[in-house]
């Protein structure tokens, strides 16, 4: 019953922090390389997320549970990882868009304003929407980011749990019996 003795929080926290650092670094690399926000290249930031999620479950299984892990325990580890990473990424997005790089938010708002003009909305409607977006944008981005990482992580945790699941044998033979 080693699975009951060892909690996955330490492992999930380590891998979530590692993924967070890699994603933040990639965010700044793409910003300084002037990569367009709509570029498919931005999807590369999902690689550390997916890789670290899988590695968190694999590490917990192999190093802490002697190579065995139930589906539920594997999912639990992945979900903890995703939840921790989602909190970190949500906070980062709020700080990034509000203080570190508000130009990114402003670029998105200008684009949204142009789309609203193309749709024929009145200047009064556009001004009201832009006012709300400017004041609440970083907070909405933080919440949206946290929700997205949590839901995506839950779905990926199900997949990785199915891949890494390996139940411990019910009865182990002792060396004297063999």
């Amino acid at each position: 019953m080693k699975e009951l003795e060892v909690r996955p929080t330490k492992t999930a926290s380590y891998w979530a922090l590692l993924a967070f650092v890699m994603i933040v670094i990639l965010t700044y690399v793409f910003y300084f390389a002037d990569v367009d926000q709509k570029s498919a290249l931005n999807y590369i930031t999902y690689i550390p997320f997916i890789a670290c999620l899988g590695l968190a479950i694999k590490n917990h299984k192999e190093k802490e549970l002697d190579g065995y892990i139930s589906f539920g325990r594997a999912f639990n580890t992945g979900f903890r990882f995703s939840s921790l990473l989602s909190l970190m990424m949500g906070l980062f997005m709020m700080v990034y868009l509000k203080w570190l790089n508000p130009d990114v938010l402003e670029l998105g708002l200008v684009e949204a304003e142009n789309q609203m003009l193309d749709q024929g909305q009145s200047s009064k409607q556009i001004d009201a929407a832009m006012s709300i977006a400017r004041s609440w944008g970083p907070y909405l981005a933080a919440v949206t980011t946290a929700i997205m990482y949590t839901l995506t992580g839950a779905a990926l945790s199900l997949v990785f749990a199915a891949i890494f699941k390996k139940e411990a044998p019910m009865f182990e033979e002792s060396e004297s019996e063999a």
Side-chain angles (χ1 to χ4, degrees):
M1 298 299 329
K2 187 166 185 162
E3 195 170 289
L4 296 176
E5 298 168 15
V6 181
R7 295 279 146 223
T9 303
K10 184 177 177 182
T11 300
S13 300
Y14 169 80
W15 288 102
L17 184 61
L18 184 63
F20 173 72
V21 169
M22 288 190 285
I23 292 168
V24 168
I25 289 170
L26 284 171
T27 300
Y28 275 103
V29 166
F30 291 159
Y31 173 73
F32 289 121
D34 204 27
V35 174
D36 183 23
Q37 290 180 345
K38 292 182 178 179
S39 171
L41 200 56
N42 287 307
Y43 289 108
I44 289 175
T45 59
Y46 287 104
I47 292 172
F49 171 52
I50 295 167
C52 288
L53 172 59
L55 288 169
I57 296 170
K58 184 177 187 288
N59 185 276
H60 184 56
K61 171 187 169 184
E62 292 177 358
K63 294 192 177 173
E64 297 170 346
L65 299 176
D66 299 328
Y68 299 105
I69 194 165
S70 67
F71 181 89
R73 184 56 172 258
F75 175 77
N76 183 308
T77 304
F79 191 76
R80 285 182 195 214
F81 164 89
S82 301
S83 298
L84 292 167
L85 182 60
S86 72
L87 289 174
M88 288 186 264
M89 288 305 301
L91 287 172
F92 170 70
M93 287 307 295
M94 184 184 69
V95 170
Y96 182 73
L97 295 174
K98 189 161 179 72
W99 295 294
L100 299 178
N101 198 355
D103 295 340
V104 171
L105 179 63
E106 193 58 38
L107 276 165
L109 293 177
V110 168
E111 189 174 310
E113 187 174 5
N114 290 335
Q115 287 177 352
M116 292 170 84
L117 284 169
D118 291 342
Q119 293 172 355
Q121 293 188 12
S122 72
S123 62
K124 190 174 184 177
Q125 289 174 317
I126 294 171
D127 290 342
M130 289 299 113
S131 173
I132 292 170
R134 279 188 176 82
S135 59
W136 289 97
Y139 306 108
L140 293 173
V143 170
T144 303
T145 299
I147 291 170
M148 186 272 307
Y149 272 95
T150 302
L151 294 177
T152 304
L156 289 171
S157 294
L158 289 170
V159 172
F160 280 119
I163 292 169
F164 288 114
K165 178 186 84 155
K166 183 177 179 187
E167 299 286 343
M170 290 295 263
F171 303 101
E172 294 184 33
E173 290 184 31
S174 65
E175 290 182 23
S176 61
E177 292 177 14

